[in-house]
Amino acid sequence: MTLDRLLRIVSLRFRSLARRDDVERELDDEMRDHIERETAANVRRGMSLSAARTMALREFGGIEYHKEGARDQRGTRWLEELTADVRFAFRSLRNSPTFAAVVVLTLALGIGANTAIFSVVRGVLLKPLPHRDGDRLLYLRHSASGPGQSNLTFSVPEVRDLRSGVPSLSGIAEYSSWMVMQQTKDGPVRINVGLVTGNFFEVMGLSPILGRLTQPSDDGRAAHRVAVLAYEYWLKQFGGDSSVVGTQVSLDRQPVTIIGVLQPAPFFPNRVEMLLNLVNSEHHLGASMQDNRLHRMTEVVARMKPGASIEQVRAEVATVYKRVTREFSEAYPAAGGYNVAVIPFKTVMGEKARLTLWLLMASAAFVLIVSAANVANLTLMRGVRREHELVVRTALGAGAGRLRRLLLVENLLLTLFGGSLGILIANAGVRLLKAFAERYSTRTADIRLDGIVFAFTLAVSVGVALVLSFLASLPREARIGSRIMTGAQRSSGGLGRRRMQRSLVVVQIAVTVVLLAGAGLLTRTMIELSHVDTGLTSEDVLTMRVTQLTRAERSDSTLAAVARQRFEEMRDQIAALPGVTAVGIGGTLPLRSEDFFYLVQAEGKPPAAGETLTRVEFRGADQNFFRAAGVPLIKGRMFSTSDKDVVIVNKTFVDRFFPNEDPIGKRIAWKADWQPDSLHWGLTIVGVVGNTRDGRLDAPPRMVAFELMSRMPTQTAGFVIRASGSTPGLPAQATRIVRRVAPLALVDNVMTVAQFRQQSVSPQRLNAGLITSFGALAVIIAAVGIGGVLAFAVSARTNEIGIRMSLGADSGRVQRMVLREGGTLVAIGLVLGVVGAYLSAGVIRGLLFGVTPNDPMTYIAVGVTMATIGVIACWIPALRAARIDPAIAMRAS
Amino acid sequence: MSKPNDLVQGTLDLLILKMLAVDSMNGWAIAERLKEASSDVLRVSTGSLYPALHKLEQQGWIVAEWRPSENNRRAKFYSLTRAGRKHLQLESDNWDRLASAISAVMRLRET
C-alpha cells in the first residue's frame, strides 16, 4: 500500500469518527442531490414536477436503508457500537451500584493478590537473568550422602579436572563466599564478599558500569589486591560516587583497590557486597587449598559453548568424574555417594524460593477462583433479574451476538476496573512481599510491576470477564414469546441455572477448605517451630559476637595472645556488671552454627570396612559457657581452667559412639576432612551435655564436641551473658566494655537467644501469615457467596414460602428448610475440599515441620471452622425466610 | 446490503473506476452515463451504487470533493486517485483476461 493511500484511509477513518455529524450531513446532501438530479431528469423527460419527484423517490428506494449501506463502508461501525455498549454498560452498572461495588471489590482483592504474587514469581523465578546469554550459565553442585553434605563445593584440583575434561564448556569460574572486616568511618563492619578467579565475570557474562572487572591477570600471588563493588553496595556505602574507582578500602586491615562497579546482578548462594580477587585471601592461595583434593571450598559456575546442550555437559562431567573417582579412590569412598549435578544457574537461583512461591501463587489463584465464582453467582442472579430486560431487548431486534457482546462489555468493565484496583493493591503489597522474598532469593531487586506483570493482570481480568459472560444464558428465540407473556418478574431462573449457582458455591467452599488446610498446616508448622525444645534451659540470655582479629592475624601468636587476654578481660568486666550472674565465651553462639566439622573416631570403635569416619561439629566453649548458655550437663563435669586436651560431647554423640557405655574417660581422635594425614589422638571426654538445636530449629540435633575455647582460633568469641531480674541497659553496657577493651573490635549479633529464635522462625511465620490471610479472604468471600445465593433463592421463593406457611409450615420449619439447602452445599463442599486437600497436601511436605501433611487435627479444625462460618452465612437468609409474612407474600404475587 | 448483487460481483467497482477515469462526476451521473454507455444494459441501483462509491472512497481508490451544483447546492464529485488509476489498470487487465477466457470457453463447439 502506498503511503499517500494509507494516509488517505487513516484520515477518512478518523474523520468518520471525529466529525461524525459532518459526515452524516454530507451523506444526506449526497442523497438529496441524487434525488434532485433524478427529478430534474424526469422533468426534462416531460413529467410534472410532483410526478417527477415521486418517481425519483420511488426509484431511489429506502433512503435510510441506502444510508446504512453507505455507513457500513466506513469500517468504523464496530467502534461506534462498542462506545454505545460501553455507555450502556456504564448506565446499567450505575443502576445497581451495590452489585458493581461488591464485584469490583472482590475482584480487586483476587486480582491484586495474583498480580502481587506473580510479580514476585516472575522476578525471582521466571525473568531471564541479567547475565549475558544467562541461559547458558550453569552451576555445578558437588554432593555426598550424609548430613551437611548436600553441597560439598569443589577443591581446586577438582576444578582443574573439570577445566581440562569438559569441552562443551567455554569457561569455568571459581567463587568462594567469604567474610571480611571492612574499616569504615563508623568503625569496623563485617561484610560478605565473594573471592573470584579472574575469569569469573567473563564466564558470568557481567559488565562493569564503572571501571573494570577482574581478569585473568588478577589471579596469582603477584597480583594486586583488587575489589569490584556490587551495585547495591556501591549505592549504599559509597553513595553512588563515580570517583570511587581507583581509591582504596581497608579489608581485613589490608588496603584493597576498587577497580570497578558491577552492573546490578543477583548472586548465589548469598548476597555479596564486593568481589575480590583470590590474592585477598592467604588461605585461598595456600598450598593446601591449591593442591589438596579434599580441601573443598569453591563454588563452580560455568558457561556452555554456543550450541552445546546441558545433556552434553552432564555426560562430559560424568565421564571426568568417573575417571577421577577411579584415580583417587581414597578421596571418594564408594559408600560416600559422591555426585556432581549440573544445574542451570537460573534454576539454582530460584531453588529455595520455588516451592514457597508456587504455593503462594496457587493460593492467590484459589482466592481468585473463589472471588470469580462469587462474581459469577452475582452475575447469574442479576442475570435472572435482567432476564425480562434481555427478553425485551431480543424482541426489539437485538441479535444474540449483540446481547452477548453487551454482557461481555459489562463484565469487562467490571473486571478491568477490579483489575486496576487490584494493581493498586498489588503495588502496596509488593514491598512487603519483596522483604519476604529476600529470605529465599537474591533476585528480589528484579521484583516490580512491569509490563509483563500488567499484561498478566490484563489477561486475568479479560479471562474472568470472558468466563463470566458465557455463564449467563441468553433467552432463546423460541422462549421469548412466553417470557414476555409471563412477565418473568420473580423468576428464580431455570433449573440449569440454579444447578450452576449451587455448583459454584460448592466449588467455592471446596477451594476455600483446601486453602484453609494449607494455612492450618503452615500455622501448625510455625507454632511447632516456635515451641521446639531447643535444649537450652532458658533463652533469656544476652549474646554478642566480638571479632578482634582478621583471618591472617590469628596465626600471629603475639596478636592471638593479646586478643585472648582481652576476651578474658571483657568477660571479667561484664561479669562484674550489676545483675549479671554468669558470662561464658563460646566459639559459636547458642542455636547458631558455623558448620565447622572434623572427622572423628572414638576409642575402640574403628569404622567398619567401607564405612567413612563420622562428621562431628566442633564448637569452642570456656568453663562458664554451659552454665551461662543454659546447656544442661548430663554426665561428668564442665571444663575447668586447668583443663588441657579434654572434650565435652553432646547426647547425640554419645548415642552414636557409646550407646550402652559410660563415655567419660574415653578418648576420641579427629582430623579435618581435607587433611590427608592420620588421626590426632589425645582428646578425652570429661562431660556429656544435652542436645541443642543449633543451626536449624527444624533439623535433628547433630553430633557436637566442645573443645576448650583456649585451644580454638581466637579471632572471634561469642559472649553469652546471663542476668537475673530486669536489666534493660545490659546490651549497651556490655558493648561499651568491649569497645573500651578493644576499640577496633567488631561487635555484632547483640540480641537474646529468644530474639534470635524469633528471628529464625520469621520466614515460616510470614509464610503462614500470608497463606492464612489468603485463607481468611477466601472464607469471607465464600461466606458472602453462599449467603448471597441463599438470600436470592429465598427472595425468589417468597411466594412459595408464603404458600407453605399458609398451609401450616411454621417459621422454624421454613428456617430449617433454608438451612438444609445451604447446609447440604456446605457439606458437599467440605467433603470435596477435605479430599482435595488430603490428596494435594503432600506437595508442601517440604515446608512443614512437626506436622504431617495429613494431620487429622488440622483437618478437623479446618472442617469445624468452615462449617461454622458456612452455617452462620446460611443463618441470615434462613431467618429472613422464617420472617416472611404469608399474607403479604401471597398478596404480592 | 453492502454487496452489489445485480452485477457480476466486483464488476461494479471496476465500472465505477472506469467511469471516473473518463471524467470526475457525481453518483447520479455515474449511473446515468453507465446506462448510456452500455446502451441501457447496465443499470445500477442506488442501493448498490452508494455503498460501492463509499467503499472505494474508504479504500483510497477514489476521492470525493464538493462542488457547487447547477442549482447552487453542494454536490459530491468523485474522481480517481493515483492509486485508483493503477488499481483500475490492474483490474481491467484482470477483466480482459477473464472475459477472453470466458468467451474462449463459450466458443467451444457443442456436438
Side-chain angles (χ1 to χ4, degrees):
Chain A
M1 191 181 285
T2 58
L3 185 66
D4 67 304
R5 185 173 157 225
L6 182 72
L7 287 177
R8 197 187 305 279
I9 292 173
V10 170
S11 76
L12 278 170
R13 290 280 199 294
F14 182 73
R15 187 160 184 268
S16 308
L17 287 174
R19 317 210 40 185
R20 195 168 190 281
D21 292 346
D22 285 358
V23 174
E24 282 296 311
R25 199 172 325 112
E26 284 170 11
L27 189 58
D28 271 346
D29 286 354
E30 189 175 18
M31 303 274 150
R32 191 184 307 118
D33 182 53
H34 185 104
I35 292 166
E36 275 169 10
R37 279 171 199 274
E38 185 69 24
T39 309
N42 285 343
V43 168
R44 280 200 296 280
R45 286 182 201 119
M47 290 188 204
S48 73
L49 187 61
S50 72
R53 189 164 178 78
T54 314
M55 180 75 180
L57 279 172
R58 186 179 309 141
E59 198 161 303
F60 194 85
I63 295 183
E64 281 307 314
Y65 184 77
H66 295 331
K67 278 190 186 169
E68 277 298 301
R71 279 179 201 133
D72 276 342
Q73 306 303 331
R74 285 179 204 157
T76 52
R77 160 138 281 182
W78 59 276
L79 197 59
E80 283 165 20
E81 282 183 7
L82 189 66
T83 38
D85 283 348
V86 171
R87 257 199 306 270
F88 182 80
F90 255 119
R91 247 194 342 257
S92 77
L93 289 177
R94 219 173 31 216
N95 286 339
S96 35
T98 330
F99 169 82
V102 169
V103 168
V104 166
L105 205 68
T106 38
L107 279 176
L109 288 171
I111 296 177
N114 276 277
T115 302
I117 304 287
F118 179 75
S119 72
V120 178
V121 168
R122 173 168 152 70
V124 172
L125 300 179
L126 304 180
K127 229 180 205 176
L129 294 171
H131 309 75
R132 195 177 332 114
D133 295 324
D135 50 348
R136 294 222 296 267
L137 273 185
L138 301 174
Y139 179 80
L140 271 59
R141 174 172 292 154
H142 193 190
S143 63
S145 52
Q149 310 237 74
S150 58
N151 193 2
L152 291 176
T153 68
F154 293 83
S155 65
V156 175
E158 283 169 338
V159 177
R160 261 183 239 132
D161 297 334
L162 292 170
R163 253 198 202 117
S164 59
V166 187
S168 46
L169 295 178
S170 67
I172 295 182
E174 300 160 45
Y175 170 95
S176 321
S177 298
W178 200 243
M179 268 202 232
V180 295
M181 225 195 305
Q182 185 194 353
Q183 298 297 333
T184 69
K185 49 185 183 306
D186 310 317
V189 290
R190 192 190 301 268
I191 60 168
N192 289 315
V193 299
L195 288 168
V196 298
T197 45
N199 67 342
F200 178 75
F201 296 103
E202 179 60 35
V203 170
M204 291 296 273
L206 293 172
S207 314
I209 59 161
L210 275 180
R212 69 171 181 93
L213 302 174
T214 63
Q215 50 206 36
S217 63
D218 294 306
D219 283 338
R221 287 193 166 277
H224 292 286
R225 293 167 190 263
V226 296
V228 172
L229 299 182
Y231 181 77
E232 285 81 12
Y233 194 62
W234 174 59
L235 289 185
K236 196 185 102 194
Q237 189 69 27
F238 298 92
D241 176 7
S242 57
S243 68
V244 77
V245 173
T247 61
Q248 291 191 323
V249 281
S250 163
L251 301 180
D252 277 354
R253 294 198 240 285
Q254 295 284 345
V256 179
T257 308
I258 297 173
I259 53 169
V261 177
L262 184 63
Q263 70 178 82
F267 274 87
F268 182 82
N270 54 338
R271 275 181 192 76
V272 294
E273 323 285 22
M274 295 184 196
L275 293 129
L276 313 179
N277 59 348
L278 292 176
V279 75
N280 279 285
S281 164
E282 188 62 32
H283 188 97
H284 280 71
L285 291 179
S288 159
M289 178 94 183
Q290 287 297 311
D291 303 325
N292 186 337
R293 175 162 294 276
L294 297 175
H295 197 142
R296 299 186 176 111
M297 53 191 305
T298 302
E299 319 237 7
V300 169
V301 282
R303 173 168 289 266
M304 273 193 281
K305 279 186 184 151
S309 73
I310 191 164
E311 287 74 26
Q312 216 172 324
V313 176
R314 282 187 179 130
E316 288 169 5
V317 166
T319 311
V320 170
Y321 203 66
K322 208 155 147 202
R323 174 170 58 76
V324 169
T325 46
R326 212 176 320 117
E327 205 172 315
F328 304 94
S329 54
E330 76 289 346
Y332 309 92
Y338 288 85
N339 179 46
V340 176
V342 179
I343 312 164
F345 195 63
K346 189 170 144 186
T347 308
V348 87
M349 291 224 62
E351 76 183 352
K352 256 164 77 191
R354 186 161 294 116
L355 182 56
T356 306
L357 287 186
W358 284 121
L359 176 69
L360 282 175
M361 193 75 243
S363 308
F366 277 16
V367 171
L368 185 63
I369 291 173
V370 175
S371 57
N374 237 3
V375 177
N377 258 333
L378 288 169
T379 315
L380 282 176
M381 293 176 220
R382 195 156 158 278
V384 173
R385 293 200 184 108
R386 283 183 65 184
E387 192 137 284
H388 194 63
E389 173 200 327
L390 291 182
V391 166
V392 171
R393 280 179 191 285
T394 315
L396 288 178
R402 187 84 201 270
L403 278 182
R404 186 69 78 190
R405 196 167 65 189
L406 187 62
L407 277 180
L408 182 59
V409 167
E410 222 176 279
N411 287 327
L412 268 176
L413 219 58
L414 287 170
T415 57
L416 289 179
F417 198 54
S420 325
L421 248 145
I423 284 178
L424 292 182
I425 294 174
N427 196 23
V430 158
R431 255 227 241 108
L432 189 90
L433 285 171
K434 219 166 165 169
F436 170 76
E438 261 166 22
R439 298 180 176 276
Y440 296 96
S441 167
T442 54
R443 288 191 76 188
T444 50
D446 283 345
I447 298 175
R448 63 175 68 90
L449 299 179
D450 58 9
I452 302 276
V453 175
F454 287 136
F456 169 84
T457 312
L458 186 67
V460 168
S461 309
V462 172
V464 170
L466 280 173
V467 171
L468 294 183
S469 314
F470 287 89
L471 275 180
S473 63
L474 293 175
R476 272 181 283 277
E477 306 265 342
R479 280 164 35 201
I480 294 172
S482 62
R483 283 299 171 78
I484 294 179
M485 298 262 288
T486 56
Q489 290 286 14
R490 273 231 179 254
S491 157
S492 59
L495 204 60
R497 186 178 310 225
R498 290 244 304 265
R499 203 169 293 139
M500 172 71 96
Q501 283 185 357
R502 283 150 189 230
S503 321
L504 283 172
V505 168
V506 167
V507 167
Q508 280 185 313
I509 304 235
V511 167
T512 305
V513 166
V514 174
L515 206 45
L516 282 181
L521 291 172
L522 290 172
T523 307
R524 279 287 302 270
T525 295
M526 194 261 290
I527 294 170
E528 290 291 323
L529 264 185
S530 30
H531 290 110
V532 147
D533 180 8
T534 55
L536 301 170
T537 53
S538 159
E539 288 165 15
D540 195 14
V541 176
L542 180 67
T543 65
M544 61 199 290
R545 191 169 60 162
V546 180
T547 306
Q548 290 197 66
L549 302 180
T550 66
R551 273 192 196 79
E553 286 167 342
R554 81 179 173 198
S555 38
D556 181 323
S557 57
T558 329
L559 287 176
V562 172
R564 178 164 299 132
Q565 197 214 324
R566 282 183 178 159
F567 279 139
E568 281 165 16
E569 225 170 284
M570 292 172 199
R571 181 186 63 199
D572 296 343
Q573 290 192 23
I574 293 170
L577 286 172
V580 173
T581 55
V583 181
I585 299 178
T588 310
L589 292 171
L591 303 192
R592 269 151 276 191
S593 170
E594 311 255 311
D595 287 333
F596 185 77
F597 292 93
Y598 279 139
L599 297 176
V600 165
Q601 187 186 328
E603 189 177 10
K605 314 271 174 185
E611 212 181 49
T612 51
L613 288 172
T614 309
R615 277 160 65 90
V616 174
E617 184 180 356
F618 269 64
R619 300 166 78 100
D622 72 350
Q623 62 275 19
N624 295 327
F625 177 81
F626 299 104
R627 198 157 53 86
V631 180
L633 183 73
I634 296 178
K635 212 171 222 171
R637 63 172 178 83
M638 310 271 198
F639 290 132
S640 78
T641 40
S642 59
D643 270 336
K644 270 177 84 178
D645 300 333
V646 297
V647 68
I648 292 175
V649 296
N650 71 350
K651 191 169 171 309
T652 312
F653 183 100
V654 174
D655 292 345
R656 161 74 178 77
F657 285 102
F658 305 104
N660 299 308
E661 294 169 60
D662 183 1
I664 305 297
K666 291 282 191 325
R667 290 194 314 146
I668 62 168
W670 57 273
K671 78 182 198 75
D673 55 1
W674 44 271
Q675 280 170 340
D677 41 299
S678 51
L679 292 160
H680 307 279
W681 287 94
L683 287 174
T684 307
I685 298 174
V686 295
V688 178
V689 291
N691 292 329
T692 52
R693 298 261 182 171
D694 298 322
R696 293 180 61 143
L697 287 174
D698 56 355
R702 318 186 250 211
M703 284 173 268
V704 180
F706 290 93
E707 265 200 284
L708 260 178
M709 194 59 200
S710 51
R711 282 178 54 97
M712 303 282 282
T714 24
Q715 72 187 113
T716 300
F719 283 84
V720 183
I721 306 163
R722 177 176 293 257
S724 64
S726 158
T727 47
L730 191 56
Q733 287 168 328
T735 312
R736 251 197 317 276
I737 287 173
V738 172
R739 291 234 186 279
R740 199 163 55 224
V741 175
L744 287 181
L746 186 153
V747 185
D748 57 10
N749 280 280
V750 184
M751 63 175 97
T752 67
V753 173
Q755 280 167 342
F756 174 76
R757 182 192 176 130
Q758 284 296 313
Q759 189 181 306
S760 67
V761 180
S762 71
Q764 282 85 359
R765 187 179 305 119
L766 269 167
N767 222 343
L770 275 173
I771 306 281
T772 306
S773 32
F774 282 160
L777 200 59
V779 168
I780 294 169
I781 298 174
V784 170
I786 185 166
V789 167
L790 281 184
F792 174 75
V794 167
S795 83
R797 286 167 67 188
T798 307
N799 194 11
E800 174 206 327
I801 292 171
I803 296 173
R804 278 171 190 267
M805 288 177 105
S806 64
L807 289 178
D810 58 6
S811 64
R813 196 172 182 135
V814 168
Q815 194 174 334
R816 275 197 300 281
M817 179 183 82
V818 176
L819 274 179
R820 199 179 317 119
E821 187 179 339
T824 315
L825 297 182
V826 172
I828 299 174
L830 252 178
V831 170
L832 286 179
V834 167
V835 170
Y838 192 86
L839 293 178
S840 57
V843 173
I844 61 166
R845 189 184 296 273
L847 298 176
L848 302 183
F849 170 77
V851 56
T852 64
N854 296 326
D855 177 51
M857 279 307 295
T858 306
Y859 283 77
I860 291 171
V862 165
V864 169
T865 311
M866 190 69 242
T868 314
I869 293 171
V871 168
I872 292 173
C874 299
W875 213 281
I876 301 163
L879 278 181
R880 222 172 69 198
R883 272 198 229 106
I884 288 174
D885 182 336
I888 294 175
M890 291 176 68
R891 205 179 304 139
S893 57
Chain B
M1 145 191 0
S2 59
K3 285 198 191 87
N5 35 22
D6 43 358
L7 275 165
V8 181
Q9 206 145 75
T11 50
L12 179 58
D13 289 359
L14 178 64
L15 293 172
I16 291 174
L17 289 175
K18 182 68 193 173
M19 299 306 298
L20 292 178
V22 175
D23 192 8
S24 75
M25 54 187 96
N26 58 40
W28 180 81
I30 292 172
E32 283 300 306
R33 298 276 289 275
L34 193 57
K35 205 157 62 178
E36 256 170 52
S38 68
S39 324
D40 256 13
V41 173
L42 296 174
R43 284 166 173 272
V44 53
S45 76
T46 37
S48 308
L49 176 66
Y50 284 99
L53 274 172
H54 285 238
K55 184 174 75 191
L56 291 171
E57 186 189 1
Q58 291 289 338
Q59 287 175 338
W61 303 133
I62 63 176
V63 63
E65 122 184 73
W66 291 91
R67 291 188 207 149
S69 66
E70 297 76 11
N71 51 7
N72 256 344
R73 304 276 283 269
R74 311 199 297 159
K76 199 173 179 186
F77 280 79
Y78 293 94
S79 49
L80 275 190
T81 62
R82 216 167 37 185
R85 204 169 289 280
K86 269 193 214 141
H87 186 64
L88 169 64
Q89 188 61 51
L90 205 75
E91 290 294 301
S92 75
D93 288 353
N94 275 345
W95 172 257
D96 285 347
R97 263 214 327 271
L98 188 66
S100 57
I102 290 176
S103 33
V105 171
M106 296 318 285
R107 273 199 302 273
L108 284 180
R109 202 182 308 253
E110 296 172 29
T111 51

